[in-house]
Amino acid sequence: MSAEGAEPGPGSGPGPGPLCPEHGQALSWFCGSERRPVCAACAGLGGRCRGHRIRRAEERAEELRNKIVDQCERLQLQSAAITKYVADVLPGKNQRAVSMASAARELVIQRLSLVRSLCESEEQRLLEQVHGEEERAHQSILTQRVHWAEALQKLDTIRTGLVGMLTHLDDLQLIQKEQEIFERTEEAEGILDPQESEMLNFNEKCTRSPLLTQLWATAVLGSLSGTEDIRIDERTVSPFLQLSDDRKTLTFSTKKSKACADGPERFDHWPNALAATSFQNGLHAWMVNVQKSCAYKVGVASGHLPRKGSGSDCRLGHNAFSWVFSRYDQEFRFSHNGQHEPLGLLRGPAQLGVVLDLQARELLFYEPASGTVLYTHHGSFPGPLFPVFAVADQTISIVR
């Protein structure tokens, strides 16, 4: 038997209290192995706790009292620290939060006020340009009206004179007037027919503003992107591309898939795919995650875009049916109808925003992270138009 303290005897320990149910003796000892009070008989040589760690019950109780005292002191110190934190630190934190929130509000108001002021100035400038262009076109048209009114009057005078000669002169008199007839005819021929002139048209370029375009693209992508559920039409996906289950991610494969059933809608050579959604009017925006790919094309294409063969008529940007932003390694460009315009980008965008305004006949490519307009194309689009994608390196995804 291992005991901490004196050997227990039959009558050792404190006075009456709870008794051992087995021996009817006072529970004056503590068994450390079983973690419970025991009597002297249990702790003795023949008892059930022989060989256990035994100590007097009052010693264990004293140890517990000391632990409680220590714990109470720690709790008191912890309470004092919390009280000090609540009294001294939190009020300062609260004051700083109020102060910083006030400064943040002022900053937001100040910056938005500056943006608003700049927008108002730009609005005024552009409206003045529109008014000036309208006045210029109006004056050009008025000048043309005066010019052609004078021309009509001159032609009428010449015609009246020639008709008079024809009806009132005899043969000899007519012959004598030959020089005058020639001069009048020559004068009439000098009055040219009206020709189409850009000077008579309103020039829409007067409304173009880099600042307005950037703010507008940011607003459009912020408000419209993601509102339209654009997904890939699986019938159009090239056999060199794998389409995700949600039909939003295209992954390039060097091996041609044999699982794709060929059909009239499917691109059979170039790694292209069309969206299932088409647009004929209105304003539309979507974003594509292109961070993982160094070879891709993103843009729009007409539904008349051919699908079969390796010719340029099926290759995005090499025909009249597609308008795309493309990347090949560190080369970026806009392509349409075989015309390729290099774009001097220093790095590739992680996401590419596309804004299509069919009413304004405008296609815009935008980098959301920097708020940069990468390229804007103005022109007529034969509808309907489909978002179009091509990838020849890793993966691109329509942002959900």
Side-chain angles (χ1 to χ4, degrees):
M1 173 179 127
S2 173
E4 300 176 7
E7 181 75 18
S12 59
L19 301 179
C20 175
E22 183 177 352
H23 302 103
Q25 298 181 17
L27 301 175
S28 56
W29 295 84
F30 178 78
C31 177
S33 300
E34 295 186 4
R35 308 295 297 172
R36 67 184 184 88
V38 294
C39 69
C42 292
L45 291 176
R48 58 181 293 175
C49 296
R50 189 180 68 174
H52 292 182
R53 292 181 290 110
I54 301 297
R55 62 191 302 186
R56 293 186 179 278
E58 61 264 25
E59 292 177 2
R60 175 60 179 166
E62 185 62 25
E63 181 183 31
L64 290 176
R65 288 188 185 93
N66 292 335
K67 285 186 176 181
I68 292 173
V69 170
D70 291 341
Q71 184 62 41
C72 288
E73 289 177 352
R74 282 194 293 270
L75 292 176
Q76 187 175 3
L77 292 173
Q78 185 179 8
S79 297
I82 293 174
T83 301
K84 181 177 177 58
Y85 179 80
V86 172
D88 299 341
V89 178
L90 288 185
K93 292 281 187 183
N94 185 65
Q95 186 60 38
R96 281 192 292 275
V98 171
S99 177
M100 292 182 70
S102 178
R105 290 190 193 94
E106 289 297 325
L107 181 63
V108 170
I109 293 171
Q110 182 184 32
R111 290 187 174 181
L112 286 177
S113 177
L114 184 60
V115 171
R116 193 176 299 111
S117 175
L118 184 61
C119 288
E120 290 173 354
S121 298
E122 187 70 356
E123 178 186 15
Q124 182 65 28
R125 185 184 72 83
L126 290 174
L127 291 178
E128 288 177 357
Q129 285 192 182
V130 169
H131 178 71
E133 177 61 19
E134 181 184 26
E135 285 294 311
R136 184 206 60 75
H138 180 63
Q139 288 299 323
S140 296
I141 293 169
L142 286 180
T143 301
Q144 287 285 301
R145 286 183 182 276
V146 171
H147 170 76
W148 293 115
E150 292 175 352
L152 285 172
Q153 185 177 3
K154 186 178 291 186
L155 288 173
D156 186 62
T157 301
I158 294 172
R159 180 178 176 278
T160 300
L162 291 175
V163 170
M165 290 180 184
L166 185 64
T167 56
H168 296 104
L169 298 181
D170 57 25
D171 293 347
L172 183 59
Q173 291 174 322
L174 195 61
I175 292 172
Q176 291 174 339
K177 292 287 187 178
E178 181 176 358
Q179 181 61 32
E180 184 179 345
I181 294 172
F182 172 76
E183 290 174 354
R184 292 192 177 187
T185 302
E186 192 175 55
E187 183 181 4
E189 290 176 349
I191 301 174
L192 302 178
D193 292 336
Q195 301 293 324
E196 176 60 33
S197 171
E198 287 298 323
M199 295 296 293
L200 302 178
N201 298 329
F202 181 86
N203 186 0
E204 295 179 337
K205 291 182 179 180
C206 69
T207 62
R208 295 179 187 174
S209 158
L211 173 63
L212 178 59
T213 299
Q214 186 169 341
L215 291 174
W216 174 76
T218 302
V220 169
L221 281 172
S223 60
L224 291 185
S225 181
T227 60
E228 295 174 288
D229 188 17
I230 296 178
R231 297 176 187 266
I232 305 295
D233 185 348
E234 57 188 347
R235 300 173 302 170
T236 69
V237 177
S238 162
F240 291 100
L241 298 177
Q242 296 177 359
L243 182 63
S244 62
D245 292 340
D246 63 1
R247 295 165 48 209
K248 287 181 175 288
T249 299
L250 291 169
T251 303
F252 177 71
S253 174
T254 56
K255 295 183 179 180
K256 192 174 185 178
S257 173
K258 297 180 180 179
C260 297
D262 194 19
E265 299 90 355
R266 191 176 304 282
F267 293 95
D268 65 355
H269 179 80
W270 298 107
N272 304 340
L274 289 175
T277 307
S278 65
F279 307 119
Q280 290 185 305
N281 50 59
L283 177 63
H284 308 276
W286 59 96
M287 282 198 293
V288 185
N289 192 333
V290 294
Q291 187 174 16
K292 296 180 180 179
S293 180
C294 290
Y296 61 82
K297 294 180 180 179
V298 173
V300 294
S302 165
H304 300 298
L305 177 67
R307 318 294 171 85
K308 306 301 181 184
S310 59
S312 294
D313 57 339
C314 303
R315 192 177 181 185
L316 299 185
H318 290 255
N319 48 67
F321 304 109
S322 55
W323 300 256
V324 293
F325 175 98
S326 65
R327 175 183 181 179
Y328 293 97
D329 291 330
Q330 294 306 309
E331 178 183 330
F332 304 89
R333 63 188 184 182
F334 172 79
S335 301
H336 168 62
N337 204 19
Q339 301 296 315
H340 311 289
E341 186 167 346
L343 307 177
L345 303 185
L346 299 178
R347 59 175 178 80
Q351 288 187 335
L352 187 64
V354 184
V355 178
L356 177 63
D357 189 344
L358 289 168
Q359 181 178 355
R361 305 191 302 277
E362 185 170 295
L363 175 65
L364 182 147
F365 298 95
Y366 180 84
E367 184 185 21
S370 64
T372 303
V373 176
L374 303 177
Y375 188 81
T376 304
H377 173 77
H378 299 271
S380 299
F381 299 98
L385 290 182
F386 294 80
V388 68
F389 313 89
V391 57
D393 174 58
Q394 298 194 54
T395 294
I396 62 173
S397 302
I398 302 171
V399 177
R400 294 170 177 79

